[in-house]
Amino acid sequence: MEKEEKNRKSELEHERKQRQQELDAQNERFMNALKEDRKLRMEEMAIMNRRLEFLESKA
């Protein structure tokens, strides 16, 4: 009985560690996507600022 409990605890700990690794990987992908989104938005803002400066110089 005690051996079964230890085996079960070991299985649960392994599953917990595996799930934590999956969550960590998912979180890293999410953070990378946020960084990429922010980078693209900054590039878009820079382009819009250049357009505005161009239009203002023509006015």
Side-chain angles (χ1 to χ4, degrees):
M1 185 67 175
E2 200 173 297
K3 188 176 182 181
E4 288 176 14
E5 278 184 43
K6 283 184 180 179
N7 283 344
R8 183 64 183 143
K9 281 183 181 179
S10 179
E11 284 177 25
L12 288 172
E13 182 63 18
H14 176 73
E15 288 172 11
R16 186 193 67 76
K17 284 182 180 178
Q18 193 173 19
R19 181 67 178 138
Q20 187 61 51
Q21 287 177 338
E22 291 169 2
L23 289 172
D24 289 345
Q26 187 178 25
N27 189 49
E28 186 172 352
R29 288 191 301 273
F30 178 73
M31 294 302 287
N32 287 341
L34 279 179
K35 285 181 192 173
E36 182 66 19
D37 182 66
R38 184 173 189 272
K39 182 179 129 189
L40 292 173
R41 287 176 188 269
M42 295 297 280
E43 289 174 5
E44 187 178 20
M45 280 177 50
I47 291 168
M48 292 179 79
N49 282 336
R50 285 196 295 273
R51 285 182 184 163
L52 182 59
E53 288 171 4
F54 174 76
L55 291 173
E56 287 174 344
S57 72
K58 294 290 182 181

